[in-house]
Amino acid sequence: MEKTTALILAGGTGCRMGSTVPKQFLRLGGIPVVSHSIKAFEISDEISDIVVVCHADYIARMESVIKETQAKKVRKLVVGGETRQKSSFIGLKNCSRDTKYVLIHDSARPFVCMSMVGSLLKAAKLAGSAGPVTDISDTVVETRGGFISGILERDTLGRMQTPQAFRYRVIVEAHEKALVFGLTSASDDCGLVIKTGGKVSIVRGNEENLKITSAADMELAELIFLRKMRTSA
Ligand code: CTP
Ligand code: MG
């Protein structure tokens, strides 16, 4: 089997959440938010390695989370950079040399869907890059000076999630090109591929795969967790 590495990004500090510890360490269903993704990749047959990128101030804490999770696939825990883009590139450079495919995932998304992982890897094998996209229900507007200056065509818009899947060389080259182009603040890796001239195949995202940003998201995540527990019981 060609080596597939899951890269979990936990190098942020969760400013918008404003909690005493970064949101990836808050407890959800009794375990830290980041443990949910570690566990999901741990039990996936398609993933052989996990690399975790963490903020420098929380390395010891992450070490104990990994230990608590009894994860066997975590090959490396590395210090991230000051932007998500930097953290992602650092993580990529720390994947084992024989990695052929990589799944890049935000630690702030605890509900990784396994069937989606399969579809993403399949799509990335064909197209080089693939990302999960969900529909938008709100109307999205452009604003200027306190007024609405335009309405975006909702049918052509979607919301990008993670994990995002790539042929390893494709995403490394996108990061290298981004630096040449002076792009430094990409909020996701598919975006980087697009901005550097590549193509990204779309896989259907999952509404439950929310990204925790604020305290309200954390409450919603607790409800989703409880529902998942009930339906799997
Ligand atoms: N991330 C990272 N390195 C950074 C910034 C972010 O690895 N320098 C990770 C975060 O840990 C998170 C994911 O990228 O899992 C998505 O970022 P976001 O939701 O914006 O998290 P934070 O940057 O931590 O939150 P905030 O923007 O509110 O500070
Ligand atoms: Mg951020």
Side-chain angles (χ1 to χ4, degrees), residues 83-95:
T83 61
R84 186 195 181 282
Q85 184 177 329
K86 280 192 180 168
S87 292
S88 173
F89 201 18
I90 291 170
L92 284 168
K93 287 190 266 194
N94 278 281
C95 291

Side-chain angles (χ1 to χ4, degrees), residues 45-66:
D45 291 339
E46 308 198 65
I47 310 288
S48 53
D49 288 25
I50 300 173
V51 170
V52 180
V53 180
C54 179
H55 192 279
D57 296 348
Y58 295 92
I59 288 286
R61 192 170 185 131
M62 188 62 87
E63 270 170 359
S64 61
V65 166
I66 292 167

Side-chain angles (χ1 to χ4, degrees), residues 8-17 22-24 53-55 80-88 105-109 187 211-213:
I8 300 178
L9 300 182
T13 52
C15 277
R16 286 169 290 178
M17 175 68 77
K23 57 193 179 184
Q24 54 269 34
V53 180
C54 179
H55 192 279
E82 64 266 32
T83 61
R84 186 195 181 282
Q85 184 177 329
K86 280 192 180 168
S87 292
S88 173
H105 185 59
D106 289 336
S107 61
R109 289 187 193 268
S187 59
K211 188 172 77 142
I212 297 172
T213 304

Side-chain angles (χ1 to χ4, degrees), residues 5-30:
T5 299
L7 184 57
I8 300 178
L9 300 182
T13 52
C15 277
R16 286 169 290 178
M17 175 68 77
S19 47
T20 50
V21 290
K23 57 193 179 184
Q24 54 269 34
F25 295 107
L26 293 176
R27 298 221 160 226
L28 168 65

Side-chain angles (χ1 to χ4, degrees), residues 208 224-233:
E208 284 189 339
I224 294 172
F225 177 80
L226 290 176
R227 187 170 68 198
K228 280 180 172 293
M229 285 290 102
R230 266 202 314 273
T231 51
S232 70

Side-chain angles (χ1 to χ4, degrees), residues 144-163:
R144 200 159 296 149
F147 288 90
I148 291 173
S149 53
I151 309 277
L152 301 183
E153 201 55 59
R154 193 170 62 196
D155 293 348
T156 67
L157 301 173
R159 288 181 297 151
M160 194 82 222
Q161 301 185 326
T162 73

